[in-house]
């Protein structure tokens, strides 16, 4: 016979019902329904899981969290901004990148390594290069590469060179010599 799952009485039945109706997400509502079932009708976790349409593991986890920490264990985690794990806010990132605009105007190259070292000193921790690439993408920076041709190049001279190049440079013969090995 399975063990009966019950919860500590941190809240009354009426308070748990109110939590079910005011839950901000369906997942929170499901968790409060698990607590309500265990509070009103203690029974095996498998029966509660079947009744609330959740997994057995979820029932065990929710009941254990509620018994340990009470109401606060079931509250959804608040996310203060768009990216709470960010090192800097969007405005702080923009002001950080301002320092790299001036050298670029004078023709100096800005590399990811330079931006990364300055960023690491600003935030006080090591970051991956992908963090810098995402930062630059967020602010509309793009990777610039050299032009494939010189802007002052003479197209006619290039075409003439292509015609005469084959006579200057002969490719090595296509015959392959067989290497023989001599046993020692």
């Amino acid at each position: 016979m399975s063990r009966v799952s019950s919860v500590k009485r941190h809240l009354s039945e009426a308070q748990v019902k109110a939590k079910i109706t005011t839950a901000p997400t369906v997942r929170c509502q499901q968790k409060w329904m698990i607590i309500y079932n265990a509070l009103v009708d203690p029974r095996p976790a498998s029966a509660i899981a079947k009744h609330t349409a959740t997994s057995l593991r979820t029932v065990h986890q929710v009941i254990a969290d509620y018994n340990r920490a009470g109401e606060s264990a079931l509250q959804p985690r608040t996310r203060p901004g768009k990216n709470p794990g960010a090192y800097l806010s969007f405005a702080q990132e923009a002001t950080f990148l301002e320092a790299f605009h001036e050298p670029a105007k004078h023709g100096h190259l800005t590399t990811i390594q330079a931006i990364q070292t300055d960023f690491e000193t600003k935030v006080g921790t090591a970051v991956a290069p992908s963090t810098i690439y995402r930062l630059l993408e967020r602010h509309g920076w793009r990777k610039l590469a050299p032009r494939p041709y010189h802007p002052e190049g003479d197209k006619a001279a290039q075409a003439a060179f292509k015609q005469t190049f084959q006579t200057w440079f002969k490719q090595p013969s296509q015959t392959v010599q067989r290497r023989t090995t001599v046993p020692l």
Side-chain angles (χ1 to χ4, degrees), residues 107-121:
H108 297 285
L109 292 177
T110 303
T111 62
I112 293 297
Q113 290 80 13
I115 296 173
Q116 183 176 0
T117 54
D118 287 354
F119 189 79
E120 287 173 348
T121 56

Side-chain angles (χ1 to χ4, degrees):
M1 181 155 193
S2 298
R3 205 172 105 209
V4 173
S5 296
S6 61
V7 294
K8 294 182 181 176
R9 295 197 173 268
H10 293 289
L11 298 174
S12 68
E13 289 179 29
Q15 290 172 323
V16 173
K17 275 186 178 179
K19 293 286 186 183
I20 292 172
T21 57
T22 60
T25 64
V26 174
R27 186 73 176 149
C28 288
Q29 189 177 30
Q30 239 177 0
K31 289 178 180 182
W32 282 111
M33 288 174 72
I34 292 170
I35 298 302
Y36 182 76
N37 275 281
L39 184 66
V40 173
D41 185 20
R43 55 190 170 195
S46 58
I48 294 174
K50 187 175 183 180
H51 185 76
T52 57
T54 57
S55 69
L56 182 62
R57 183 182 187 286
T58 301
V59 172
H60 285 300
Q61 189 67 51
V62 168
I63 290 174
D65 289 346
Y66 182 76
N67 285 340
R68 193 176 315 113
E71 176 184 357
S72 63
L74 301 182
Q75 297 301 323
R77 289 172 177 69
T78 58
R79 296 179 65 160
K82 183 178 179 184
N83 188 3
Y87 294 102
L88 303 172
S89 68
F90 189 81
Q92 289 172 329
E93 289 175 350
T95 56
F96 168 73
L97 291 175
E98 291 285 325
F100 297 100
H101 284 290
E102 194 60 35
K105 288 179 183 175
H106 297 298
H108 297 285
L109 292 177
T110 303
T111 62
I112 293 297
Q113 290 80 13
I115 296 173
Q116 183 176 0
T117 54
D118 287 354
F119 189 79
E120 287 173 348
T121 56
K122 182 162 181 77
V123 298
T125 185
V127 296
S130 60
T131 302
I132 306 302
Y133 282 110
R134 287 192 309 267
L135 167 96
L136 295 175
E137 185 179 347
R138 267 194 304 275
H139 292 276
W141 288 46
R142 58 194 172 96
K143 181 179 179 180
L144 296 178
R147 293 185 185 127
Y149 59 91
H150 194 278
E152 296 174 7
D154 185 13
K155 298 269 184 196
Q158 290 175 3
F161 176 75
K162 287 179 185 177
Q163 298 296 322
T164 59
F165 178 71
Q166 291 298 327
T167 58
W168 291 351
F169 178 74
K170 292 193 179 205
Q171 293 193 1
S173 65
Q174 297 296 326
T175 60
V176 178
Q177 292 182 352
R178 189 171 170 187
R179 180 182 280 182
T180 59
T181 58
V182 178
L184 296 175

